[in-house]
């Protein structure tokens, strides 16, 4: 009886396992970001700019990243000094400034995409195709339920 109790106490419940995997992923991405000099606060901005057509205004970045306007302003200033982004005044509307990734910014995007692909490959190697698809369905359900 005591061994059954000890066994159940040592087994991790689903929440603990989910948290453990999430921590491992955060650590891996943080290590990659640190190795290339990307601060954690930059990742949302870099991601948004890498998925746009022709740069973005500061207001658009605020809206899509859900970061505060002051946070975006300070981050963009730092990112510009670090040559990750550049600001370009719209030639048709001098009041509008668009933010673009520099070559260094695009290198960061490529490095992070490689890391994401490596992580996904690790998932795929551990699961069957059906299990991988089920994982996506389950994670979306959890996300949607928590955000409701």
């Amino acid at each position: 009886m005591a061994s059954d109790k000890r066994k159940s106490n040592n087994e991790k419940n689903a929440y603990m396992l989910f948290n453990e995997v999430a921590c491992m992923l955060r650590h891996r991405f943080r290590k990659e970001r640190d190795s290339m000099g990307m601060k954690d606060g930059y990742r949302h901005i870099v991601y948004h700019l890498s998925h746009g057509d022709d740069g973005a205004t500061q207001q658009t970045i605020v809206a899509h990243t859900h970061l505060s306007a002051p946070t975006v302003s300070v981050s963009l200033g730092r990112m510009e000094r670090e040559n990750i982004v550049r600001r370009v005044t719209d030639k048709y509307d001098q009041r509008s400034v668009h933010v673009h990734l520099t070559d260094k910014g695009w290198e960061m995007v490529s490095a992070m995409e490689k890391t994401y692909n490596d992580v996904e490959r690790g998932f795929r190697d551990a699961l069957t195709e059906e299990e991988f698809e089920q994982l996506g369905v389950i994670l979306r359900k959890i996300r949607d339920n928590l955000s409701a």
Side-chain angles (χ1 to χ4, degrees):
M1 183 73 111
S3 66
D4 289 340
K5 185 175 183 179
R6 198 171 29 248
K7 182 180 177 188
S8 65
N9 286 339
N10 289 332
E11 291 178 2
K12 296 181 179 180
N13 64 32
Y15 171 78
M16 291 173 69
L17 287 170
F18 184 82
N19 189 54
E20 186 177 347
V21 170
C23 287
M24 292 169 77
L25 290 173
R26 276 193 303 276
H27 175 74
R28 180 158 181 192
F29 291 125
R30 184 179 305 115
K31 186 177 170 184
E32 180 63 32
R33 283 193 318 267
D34 290 349
S35 74
M36 70 177 90
M38 179 191 286
K39 294 176 179 55
D40 186 43
Y42 296 176
R43 66 189 169 94
H44 296 294
I45 296 170
V46 168
Y47 178 84
H48 175 68
L49 291 173
S50 71
H51 289 81
D53 294 332
D54 189 27
T57 64
Q58 189 167 319
Q59 294 82 5
T60 303
I61 294 169
V62 168
H64 284 92
T65 62
H66 305 289
L67 298 170
S68 70
T71 297
V72 170
S73 179
V74 170
S75 294
L76 288 176
R78 289 180 181 156
M79 293 169 77
E80 194 169 28
R81 285 190 294 278
E82 294 173 28
N83 194 33
I84 298 168
V85 299
R86 63 183 163 74
R87 299 180 205 215
V88 178
T89 303
D90 189 307
K91 63 183 175 184
Y92 300 110
D93 181 358
Q94 298 293 310
R95 298 168 297 167
S96 182
V97 176
H98 289 262
V99 181
H100 300 268
L101 290 171
T102 62
D103 288 342
K104 181 178 178 182
W106 283 110
E107 287 171 14
M108 290 178 164
V109 170
S110 294
M112 290 308 294
E113 285 177 347
K114 181 187 179 310
T115 302
Y116 294 138
N117 290 336
D118 289 348
V119 166
E120 184 171 311
R121 193 173 312 109
F123 285 176
R124 288 183 180 276
D125 289 348
L127 304 170
T128 66
E129 189 62 34
E130 182 180 332
E131 289 170 331
F132 184 77
E133 289 175 17
Q134 288 173 344
L135 175 64
V137 169
I138 291 167
L139 290 173
R140 280 187 287 281
K141 282 182 178 181
I142 293 169
R143 179 201 59 201
D144 294 347
N145 186 55
L146 292 174
S147 67

